[in-house]
Amino acid sequence: MSERFRIVGGTRLQGEVIVPGAKNSVLKLMAASLLAEGKTTITSVPDILDVEIMSELLTRLGCKVERISDLVTIDVPEKLNVRAEYDLVRKMRASINVLGPLLARLKIVEVALPGGDAIGSRGLDYHIKGLELLGAKIHLEHGYIIAEAPNGLVGANVTLDFPSVGATENLMTAAVLAEGVTTIDNAAREPDVVDLGEFLNAMGGKIEGLGSPTIKITGVKELKPATHSTLPDRIVAGTWAFAAAITQGDITIKGGNPEHLELPLEKIVEAGAVVTTTADGFRVKMDRRPNAVDVATLPYPGFATDLQPFVITMNAIAQGNSIVTENVFEGRFMFVNELLRLGAEIHVDGHHASIHGIEKLSGAPVQATDIRAGAGLVLAGLVSDGVTIVEDAFHIDRGYPGFAEDLIALGAKITRD
Ligand code: UD1
């Protein structure tokens, strides 16, 4: 498959899109299937590269993974391999989600460190500290985290310094088979975390407080495989909502859950769009140039950091000045450098971006640096004069099934070449 999107700017997006299952939910469900011997079935699975990577990881751990259309079955054997190799982990950070389940089931696990991280440094320290409180002995060897709990894990009280999604998930999937009760304070409240908890409960787990800052997990002896449907992807739904606002379009987002996007949709309304709920989703209609809006990203239910590139793109062509503050990921403003190539007027100072809206961007070659930055640049290309080329399109494939096809159906002039 080719590696770049070519966009001719200037069209208003109009029509209907269907929201796929959530990337950040399905990957965690797949990893959690390791907790129970037997056949787990996951439905509404999106057709994205990251699902293939997770399937390959589970296969190498000893599972039999089959995909038929949007349904994935994972047959988990009694004996699993303990090692998640670097070549896969480096491709996808969510591979780290096998840490909790494998430790709980096998009492030993070796997971490659995703690039850039080291034990104790930002990135995995909450995962490690939490698992240590549950009784694991953890060390780093040859680029792998080796975690052991020869006598099994024991429930404990864990308070996270920051409501990390990944740490909450790893702790939940480890504690579910621990002896006794675990509480996670300052837990992440994202819908993906709730969905994972509900899946674990369907497998026989005892988890309370999902969606609140305190999660209580009463350990059980074993779990049984279950069938579970993936949540609709709130970030993809939010991407389409911003796409409508940015292009002065009118998009009906089928399958999107507006309750998972309360704050982003409030901002879109503040920008001048009309948002209405429909029988099976919601609709965003924008008839004018957007007003600039100030946004600060925060853990859920705050404004999702994954939607930040889209609000910056909207502000770049909005009426007025705005400030977007990034509170979750330090490196996320890399995307702004590419937007500058399209003529955006943005000044970054630490974790604040000051944006002066201009009427139109100016098409140029730019580079996708991650999934959301890539999608943001494509949307920026839609409101740029002339041709925008977004290189490294594979980033977008990791999170958006059929992105170009959906855009074409909405009237965009976009090709892969
Ligand atoms: C998940 C999502 C990602 C989303 C993010 C925040 C997946 C696959 N990815 O990532 O799309 O942007 O939630 O909603 O679900 N941190 C530490 N130490 C740790 C763990 C995290 O310092 O042990 C820091 C991170 O560097 C980051 C912040 O905490 O600055 C949030 O990270 P976290 O919530 O863990 O994000 P992920 O689970 O990696």
Side-chain angles (χ1 to χ4, degrees):
M1 201 175 280
S2 61
E3 290 293 337
R4 63 185 66 82
F5 285 124
R6 183 177 189 277
I7 305 124
V8 181
T11 37
R12 177 171 196 248
L13 298 186
Q14 248 177 316
E16 203 172 87
V17 285
I18 296 173
V19 177
K23 172 181 91 71
N24 288 354
S25 164
V26 72
L27 299 173
K28 324 306 175 57
L29 298 173
M30 291 176 77
S33 73
L34 292 167
L35 283 161
E37 187 187 336
K39 207 182 245 182
T40 281
T41 302
I42 303 171
T43 59
S44 291
V45 175
D47 188 9
I48 51 173
L49 200 57
D50 277 13
V51 166
E52 280 174 42
I53 299 172
M54 184 56 88
S55 300
E56 170 71 20
L57 179 57
L58 296 180
T59 303
R60 288 215 221 149
L61 289 171
C63 303
K64 216 171 132 210
V65 184
E66 268 176 8
R67 175 170 192 145
I68 302 167
S69 164
D70 72 343
L71 189 143
V72 165
T73 55
I74 303 158
D75 202 346
V76 180
E78 187 197 341
K79 282 202 164 52
L80 285 159
N81 301 325
V82 299
R83 194 169 162 94
E85 300 282 353
Y86 180 56
D87 64 324
L88 290 175
V89 176
R90 68 194 280 254
K91 282 192 197 158
M92 186 184 70
R93 199 184 144 82
S95 309
I96 201 70
N97 272 72
V98 301
L99 181 63
L102 287 180
L103 180 61
R105 244 196 92 193
L106 308 178
K107 318 231 184 311
I108 176 157
V109 51
E110 301 174 7
V111 182
L113 271 177
D117 291 327
I119 286 185
S121 82
R122 274 180 78 77
L124 291 175
D125 47 344
Y126 309 149
H127 302 237
I128 305 291
K129 275 190 218 151
L131 292 174
E132 282 176 343
L133 284 171
L134 295 181
K137 296 270 173 284
I138 301 181
H139 70 285
L140 175 68
E141 206 174 279
H142 305 305
Y144 282 74
I145 299 166
I146 318 245
E148 291 168 277
N151 302 318
L153 297 167
V154 180
N157 298 334
V158 181
T159 302
L160 296 175
D161 292 340
F162 185 88
S164 153
V165 172
T168 303
E169 290 166 343
N170 258 332
L171 288 170
M172 222 162 56
T173 49
V176 69
L177 287 182
E179 195 190 315
V181 176
T182 297
T183 54
I184 309 173
D185 275 316
N186 201 21
R189 299 163 62 189
E190 269 71 1
D192 323 309
V193 174
V194 175
D195 193 40
L196 175 63
E198 284 170 357
F199 175 54
L200 295 173
N201 282 343
M203 294 169 90
K206 285 195 184 151
I207 304 179
E208 298 161 79
L210 292 165
S212 84
T214 303
I215 298 178
K216 180 179 165 200
I217 304 140
T218 307
V220 296
K221 285 240 158 352
E222 65 169 4
L223 295 173
K224 302 240 172 314
T227 296
H228 195 83
S229 175
T230 314
L231 277 180
D233 198 312
R234 76 197 147 94
I235 306 300
V236 173
T239 306
W240 292 123
F242 277 102
I246 291 167
T247 65
Q248 299 186 32
D250 181 359
I251 306 182
T252 299
I253 301 159
K254 281 183 84 162
N257 184 347
E259 283 168 23
H260 291 167
L261 287 164
E262 223 171 290
L263 205 52
L265 292 179
E266 263 176 37
K267 290 291 170 186
I268 284 174
V269 169
E270 194 184 320
V274 177
V275 177
T276 42
T277 43
T278 60
D280 56 356
F282 61 100
R283 175 177 173 190
V284 180
K285 188 165 182 287
M286 183 68 135
D287 289 325
R288 39 161 299 180
R289 183 175 169 201
N291 295 322
V293 294
D294 293 334
V295 163
T297 67
L298 281 172
Y300 192 85
F303 190 101
T305 173
D306 286 5
L307 294 175
Q308 181 250 82
F310 312 120
V311 75
I312 290 191
T313 302
M314 183 177 82
N315 283 337
I317 48 99
Q319 180 97 48
N321 299 320
S322 55
I323 296 185
V324 173
T325 304
E326 174 57 56
N327 292 311
V328 182
F329 281 107
E330 293 165 341
R332 212 145 208 175
F333 281 145
M334 256 159 57
F335 154 81
V336 169
N337 291 334
E338 297 302 303
L339 216 49
L340 293 179
R341 290 185 44 74
L342 301 179
E345 293 184 13
I346 305 176
H347 176 73
V348 172
D349 185 6
H351 64 140
H352 301 290
S354 313
I355 304 148
H356 171 67
I358 56 173
E359 241 173 82
K360 218 179 231 177
L361 299 170
S362 162
V366 286
Q367 191 153 6
T369 47
D370 69 49
I371 305 175
R372 311 300 165 194
L377 290 168
V378 171
L379 299 191
L382 294 171
V383 282
S384 296
D385 234 359
V387 175
T388 298
I389 310 276
V390 181
E391 296 282 355
D392 290 345
F394 66 90
H395 283 296
I396 299 172
D397 300 335
R398 290 190 45 207
Y400 294 87
F403 196 46
E405 289 79 359
D406 281 348
L407 282 164
I408 290 166
L410 293 171
K413 291 189 185 133
I414 178 168
T415 49
R416 272 183 95 122
D417 55 29

